[in-house]
Amino acid sequence: MSKAAAALSASPRVVKLSTGLKDADRKLVAEMLSDVTVQTYRTLLRSQVVHWNVVGPLFQPIHELTEQHYSELFAAIDTLAERIRALGYPVPTGKAAAGLDKALSIGGRMSALAMVEELIEDHEALTRLIREAAGEAEELEDFVTHDLLTERLAFHEKAVWMLKAIAAD
């Protein structure tokens, strides 16, 4: 096998690191980050589905807000995945497919209000997941992950606020 072919056939693996975090702690944090990454990906897809399908008097603000959100979420996924790699673990890809049918569907809830309500639920679920993971990262003294998750938490809390303001009577 040529060097180029060997390089292309390489697969990510767990890497032994000596960065001050225990191996078990790095693994736990990487698993939590994987869950956050997968849920973020689903929320990104849901945001795009709403962006493409929203209609009605609030079309313009919802269309623009969801575009801002999915752009931010795309960048966040990359940052989260890179943190998992920096912890020495591969980014799981199989988990990402689970639940995508729900993310890509807006169910029978076709009104703009119903779509916004689903996005609110997605962002609220992410805030709960991120809050738990950030707390765990802080306890394990993984300050880099804690800071990253704090930033993600701020984004999702603001997204909930903005979406709820749109959905208000």
Side-chain angles (χ1 to χ4, degrees), residues 24-74:
D25 294 349
R26 284 187 306 106
K27 182 178 182 188
L28 177 61
V29 171
E31 289 170 353
M32 291 184 308
L33 285 173
S34 294
D35 292 342
V36 171
T37 303
V38 167
Q39 188 60 37
T40 301
Y41 193 71
R42 291 179 191 146
T43 303
L44 173 147
L45 291 174
R46 176 77 62 109
S47 298
Q48 283 188 310
V49 168
V50 171
H51 174 79
W52 296 326
N53 290 294
V54 68
V55 296
L58 293 177
F59 166 79
Q60 190 68 30
I62 294 171
H63 186 76
E64 289 175 2
L65 184 62
T66 53
E67 184 172 8
Q68 291 169 6
H69 284 181
Y70 72 69
S71 296
E72 166 71 24
L73 293 167
F74 185 80

Side-chain angles (χ1 to χ4, degrees), residues 65-110:
L65 184 62
T66 53
E67 184 172 8
Q68 291 169 6
H69 284 181
Y70 72 69
S71 296
E72 166 71 24
L73 293 167
F74 185 80
I77 290 165
D78 190 56
T79 302
L80 290 162
E82 288 177 356
R83 180 63 187 151
I84 294 167
R85 295 297 296 141
L87 289 167
Y89 287 86
V91 179
T93 54
K95 288 169 71 174
L100 289 186
D101 53 339
K102 181 181 184 284
L104 292 171
S105 140
I106 46 180
R109 302 169 67 174
M110 291 296 289

Side-chain angles (χ1 to χ4, degrees), residues 10-28:
S11 60
R13 61 190 186 339
V14 176
V15 176
K16 186 86 168 148
L17 299 173
S18 180
T19 61
L21 293 175
K22 296 176 191 168
D23 291 343
D25 294 349
R26 284 187 306 106
K27 182 178 182 188
L28 177 61

